[in-house]
Amino acid sequence: MRRKVIAGNWKMNMLPNEAIEYIESFSKLVENTKNEVILCVPYTDLFYALMNAQGTNIKIGAQNMHFEEKGAYTGEVSAKMLKSIGVEYVIIGHSERRQYFAETDETVNKKIKAAFANDLKPIVCVGETLEQREAGIAEKVITEQTRFALDGLEKEQVKKVIVAYEPIWAIGTGKTATSEDANNSIKSIRNEIKKIYGDDVADNVIIQYGGSVKSSNAKELFTTSDIDGGLVGGASLVPEEFAKIVNYDEQQ
Ligand code: PEP
């Protein structure tokens, strides 16, 4: 059985003192969960988050990285740099990066390869826009994004990838895909992975749902057949709320 992985994406929020306070209270609220818990924090919080998450079950991730290892790329941070301070996960290809920072399927693929070369686990985001959904091409878009993102990876690497299916129209809007729709989209991503990498890889790869997940809809989403947890933006900023999402399986 696949594990559930629940990751918070703080985006460009939280100063180091806020991150420290958050982890202090959040760690106590999630200490008994069997679900995997990840906080993806801004670069400036990484060191503090790593220090304060020591001895807890919280893993720390970054929200982006460059695909080159080093060099004249002012303002960028490489996978090697993240690994050197103990970061375990990195979000790659979030729709906000695709939309505002010209991230493409090609750069996403290069970043995933660089992440693996440095022993970082990528959380790879795919998702359709509202226009694409309304045009009936959502499945085509998300399966193509998945295929491009994973192109050239070894089967053992694909097994370690976390895919986050995030319909763009549901991110930060309060609109959530129905659990049935989200599950069906995730099934088509899993099916695409099955076609290319086989049953064993497809049965093991973790595929999350993201898009306005809250404590009130987490259980319904995460108890479907194919949704293996969530990538959570806004609701991960409040420790009590995010803890309820992580502990969704304790809800009545
Ligand atoms: C996200 O940023 O990945 C996300 C899903 O945001 P939100 O939960 O706020 O919709």
Side-chain angles (χ1 to χ4, degrees):
M1 219 179 74
R2 290 184 300 272
R3 68 199 194 283
K4 299 287 182 191
V5 181
I6 299 158
N9 172 16
W10 284 357
K11 309 194 186 193
M12 197 170 71
N13 294 292
M14 299 280 206
L15 298 175
N17 62 317
E18 295 169 316
I20 293 167
E21 268 176 43
Y22 180 114
I23 291 172
E24 169 98 23
S25 64
F26 179 66
S27 59
K28 296 191 186 94
L29 301 172
V30 297
E31 64 187 356
N32 294 320
T33 186
K34 58 181 182 352
N35 304 321
E36 193 166 324
V37 193
I38 307 168
L39 288 175
C40 296
V41 309
Y43 291 135
T44 44
D45 290 340
L46 279 171
F47 179 76
Y48 301 95
L50 284 160
M51 288 295 134
N52 286 278
Q54 270 181 17
T56 76
N57 54 352
I58 302 167
K59 296 173 176 166
I60 301 299
Q63 300 171 9
N64 182 36
M65 49 164 267
H66 197 273
F67 49 80
E68 293 292 349
E69 197 170 288
K70 60 180 178 176
Y73 301 98
T74 303
E76 292 294 329
V77 171
S78 72
K80 192 172 188 167
M81 290 169 169
L82 296 176
K83 187 68 192 175
S84 73
I85 60 165
V87 171
E88 270 186 74
Y89 289 87
V90 59
I91 298 176
I92 294 179
H94 190 281
S95 61
E96 287 152 14
R97 297 217 54 90
R98 292 183 193 247
Q99 190 181 348
Y100 306 132
F101 302 99
E103 192 89 78
T104 63
D105 287 332
E106 193 189 344
T107 56
V108 167
N109 179 254
K110 284 185 177 175
K111 288 181 179 193
I112 296 171
K113 287 177 177 158
F116 275 121
N118 288 280
D119 201 20
L120 286 176
K121 292 171 211 147
I123 302 175
V124 183
C125 301
V126 299
E128 80 282 1
T129 62
L130 188 58
E131 295 72 50
Q132 290 165 333
R133 189 171 188 83
E134 284 172 353
I137 56 167
E139 186 177 333
K140 180 172 176 288
V141 169
I142 59 178
T143 51
E144 276 182 10
Q145 283 177 341
T146 306
R147 189 151 28 87
F148 281 129
L150 305 181
D151 186 47
L153 295 186
E154 306 289 334
K155 282 186 177 185
E156 284 311 306
Q157 291 176 322
V158 180
K159 264 194 205 176
K160 290 184 199 147
V161 167
I162 297 176
V163 178
Y165 165 61
E166 301 207 304
I168 295 169
W169 49 270
I171 297 180
T173 57
K175 289 185 197 150
T176 318
T178 64
S179 54
E180 196 187 344
D181 272 357
N183 196 43
N184 284 338
S185 296
I186 286 178
K187 272 187 191 167
S188 51
I189 293 169
R190 200 178 296 288
N191 216 26
E192 186 69 13
I193 293 176
K194 187 177 291 193
K195 276 195 248 160
I196 308 168
Y197 301 98
D199 286 357
D200 181 40
V201 175
D203 291 344
N204 280 288
V205 68
I206 298 291
I207 312 183
Q208 301 172 315
Y209 167 76
S212 298
V213 174
K214 331 181 238 303
S215 59
S216 56
N217 59 23
K219 186 170 183 182
E220 190 186 336
L221 288 159
F222 300 169
T223 49
T224 53
S225 64
D226 278 64
I227 302 180
D228 304 323
L231 181 57
V232 184
S236 74
L237 292 172
V238 180
E240 293 76 18
E241 172 66 3
F242 191 40
K244 281 188 199 158
I245 296 172
V246 169
N247 296 322
Y248 76 92
D249 38 2
E250 285 174 9
Q251 287 176 20
Q252 298 303 317

